[in-house]
Amino acid sequence: MADAVSQRIQSEIEANPVMLYMKGDAMFPQCGFSARVVQILSHLQVPFQTANVLEDPSLREGIKSFSNWPTIPQLYVKGEFVGGCDIVTEMFQSGELQTLFEEKGIPVIA
Amino acid sequence: MAAEFMEVGVGRRPDENRTREERIRGLICEALEPQMVAIENDSARHAGHAGAREMAERGAGGETHYLMLVVSGAFRGAGRVQRQRLVHEILADEFRTGLHALSLTLRTPEEQASASAA
């Protein structure tokens, strides 16, 4: 039986084309790495949802085991794990992130 | 064996004398035979924030946030997520003992050559 947290994450990443697990929220990120990913997504003007792991200790641990990834933030696009802050930043700088969004049918403004 | 016995006798493992940076370097060198490893301890810059405070309470103060560049042939043919997962696995014990944030730049020797030429 999949535990409740994994089920929650699975349904969130399926329901939201761009889903960011982060510390704080888009208005008030609580960590520099989370803030950077928010900044990139905002710059590209893609609609995204966030979940604040600091509000829920079970989510904070659950997201790490869900993706087998030890750090936060974590970005999911169309249900797939893309990466954390380093990967998102590198992909943005090289233009790959914009391409990924376009391929997944998510309009990018910038 | 004698050395090990002595270490046990004084109540600590040899590893505990090393800084986290030294342990990370040792683990990465052993596992990836890198051409280059650069590690920067960025903990001080994050000292005030929640993650660092929490780790300080768990006894990992000052050894929580790092930046690391690794250049290794082991990354050939692996995507970004795969490369980072490989490094995360090598450093799993460090994450368990209070390593909180690790910013990674992972390149093959070829990528490093074009990055330094650019």
Side-chain angles (χ1 to χ4, degrees):
Chain A
M1 186 186 81
D3 63 279
V5 184
S6 308
Q7 278 173 9
R8 170 198 163 163
I9 296 167
Q10 190 61 43
S11 59
E12 277 174 342
I13 65 175
E14 281 170 14
N16 302 292
V18 184
M19 182 75 209
L20 178 65
Y21 293 86
M22 63 177 288
K23 295 183 179 175
D25 57 36
M27 285 295 279
F28 297 104
Q30 301 286 313
C31 149
F33 304 102
S34 290
R36 198 191 309 166
V37 176
V38 165
Q39 199 181 10
I40 289 170
L41 296 176
S42 307
H43 176 78
L44 295 175
Q45 297 187 36
V46 291
F48 64 98
Q49 277 298 320
T50 63
N52 181 359
V53 303
L54 296 179
E55 283 176 353
D56 183 347
S58 69
L59 179 64
R60 187 171 177 179
E61 286 317 305
I63 191 69
K64 294 178 186 175
S65 48
F66 182 85
S67 54
N68 185 26
W69 195 262
T71 53
I72 290 153
Q74 296 186 13
L75 179 67
Y76 292 78
V77 175
K78 289 277 167 101
E80 277 172 37
F81 176 61
V82 175
C85 180
D86 297 325
I87 290 179
V88 171
T89 303
E90 270 182 39
M91 289 180 73
F92 169 66
Q93 285 166 349
S94 68
E96 286 163 88
L97 188 64
Q98 295 84 324
T99 308
L100 173 76
F101 284 135
E102 281 159 15
E103 281 171 3
K104 300 279 185 183
I106 298 158
V108 170
I109 307 290
Chain B
M1 280 319 280
E4 195 176 311
F5 182 73
M6 277 170 61
E7 291 290 349
V8 170
V10 297
R12 59 172 181 238
R13 295 177 314 155
D15 263 12
E16 291 180 12
N17 291 322
R18 296 160 73 203
T19 64
R20 192 187 302 283
E21 182 174 326
E22 288 165 342
R23 292 197 304 271
I24 291 175
R25 187 181 299 279
L27 289 164
I28 292 294
C29 288
E30 195 178 324
L32 299 176
E33 295 177 7
Q35 277 190 359
M36 191 193 299
V37 184
I39 303 174
E40 191 183 323
N41 185 345
D42 204 30
S43 305
R45 211 163 58 81
H46 297 268
H49 99 205
R53 280 202 306 275
E54 190 181 312
M55 292 304 171
E57 284 162 19
R58 288 166 50 180
E63 295 196 311
T64 53
H65 291 66
Y66 293 82
L67 309 168
M68 179 164 72
L69 165 72
V70 182
V71 180
S72 166
F75 298 135
R76 288 194 190 101
R80 288 195 175 86
V81 170
Q82 240 181 316
R83 290 180 192 190
Q84 289 214 8
R85 274 198 214 283
L86 179 61
V87 171
H88 293 156
E89 276 165 30
I90 295 165
L91 302 179
D93 280 343
E94 300 299 327
F95 278 103
R96 267 194 291 273
T97 56
L99 173 57
H100 179 72
L102 180 63
S103 190
L104 294 169
T105 305
L106 308 175
R107 295 178 180 144
T108 63
E110 297 74 25
E111 289 164 355
Q112 176 64 10
S114 47
S116 8

